Amino acid sequence: MSGRLSVVGLGPGEAAVRTPQAEAALAAATDLVGYGPYLARVAAAPAQARHPSDNREEVARACHALGLAADGRHVAVVSSGDAGVFGMASAVFEAIEAGPPAWRRLEVEVVPGISAMFAAAARIGAPLGHDFCAISLSDNLKPWEVVAQRLRAAAGAGFVVALYNPLSRARPWQLGAAFDLLRPILPGATPVVFATAVTRPEERIDVTTLADADQARADMRTLVLVGTKATRRVERPSAPPWLYAPRRGCA
Ligand code: SAH
């Protein structure tokens, strides 16, 4: 058997938002590799080996998966959302680039998934309908000054910003610092959405403004969307407002 590696985006949570292509790649695998809680979202299949890991050391996990594939296994490496958005796909290619030449001959496929920003946006209307960008607030792998510079540039240029990894126990202050540096750039009325655990049973969507945005509403399962001065807010009588980006694309 010649080895194969699929890097599979599981989507943001519930099975209905996982693609049939992802389900097929998972079902065809002899081995599943990934962060333990993500593997737990994949239905057990008899005769399939599972290799759960903690959420650090992504490149070591990728090397493990590539080693299994080089031994002839059919390996699926899983990520939440889309594997190419702050997920395992980059770690796999980093490992291939630095690894033995044989890894470049493996059959590798990346199976796309629905990223948290798309699931969150869909809940609230169409806030990403025009130009937008995604920024991870984690400064584990890049200095905070780089994060801060990108935030200022994105907000100054009129991009809606999707903030991933807004905070964690080890990084408790980043989201508050991000709001503080956006406040002089954007109007206080700019819509901000806290979308937590989207498509999971504990889902919560809060809509507020930049003036009132409080980082205490977020945890590591939250995707934060920061609008622009062009973002439209459509009030509804007994439901949260809809937000959308007008197609003309500027205020
Ligand atoms: N590859 C993933 C992102 C992984 S980074 C994707 O494409 O979605 C982890 C961050 O993703 C979390 O800190 C959170 O900001 C976001 N996230 C993942 N799943 C989420 C969900 N169901 N609801 C809201 N945010 C989510």
Side-chain angles (χ1 to χ4, degrees), residues 82-232:
D82 181 89
V85 177
F86 310 122
M88 280 300 295
S90 291
V92 166
F93 292 107
E94 220 174 294
I96 291 173
E97 188 179 16
W103 286 359
R104 297 181 187 218
R105 285 193 291 274
L106 288 171
E107 196 187 318
V108 176
E109 65 164 357
V110 180
V111 179
I114 295 178
S115 190
M117 62 185 161
F118 301 128
R123 285 292 195 246
I124 198 76
L128 304 181
H130 215 284
D131 300 339
F132 69 91
C133 67
I135 298 179
S136 169
L137 288 192
S138 170
D139 57 359
N140 291 341
L141 297 171
K142 65 187 172 202
W144 175 253
E145 194 35 54
V146 170
V147 179
Q149 184 201 340
R150 288 181 185 169
L151 279 169
R152 282 190 214 102
F159 289 101
V160 172
V161 182
L163 296 175
Y164 284 76
N165 297 307
L167 42 75
S168 70
R169 225 167 307 153
R171 295 182 298 99
W173 54 267
Q174 275 83 349
L175 182 59
F179 291 146
D180 286 345
L181 69 84
L182 292 174
R183 283 189 180 108
I185 303 171
L186 295 168
T190 304
V192 171
V193 181
F194 292 83
T196 299
V198 179
T199 82
R200 295 189 219 148
E202 63 285 14
E203 173 176 314
R204 212 184 62 224
I205 312 280
D206 295 326
V207 185
T208 183
T209 61
L210 183 57
D212 289 337
D214 176 359
Q215 69 161 14
R217 296 197 202 199
D219 60 34
M220 58 188 293
R221 303 159 308 160
T222 306
L223 187 284
V224 180
L225 289 173
V226 181
T228 68
K229 56 180 195 282
T231 305
R232 303 293 305 160

Side-chain angles (χ1 to χ4, degrees), residues 50-62:
R50 287 176 175 240
H51 308 272
S53 57
D54 67 21
N55 67 352
R56 308 218 156 241
E57 276 315 308
E58 290 177 337
V59 174
R61 190 189 306 158

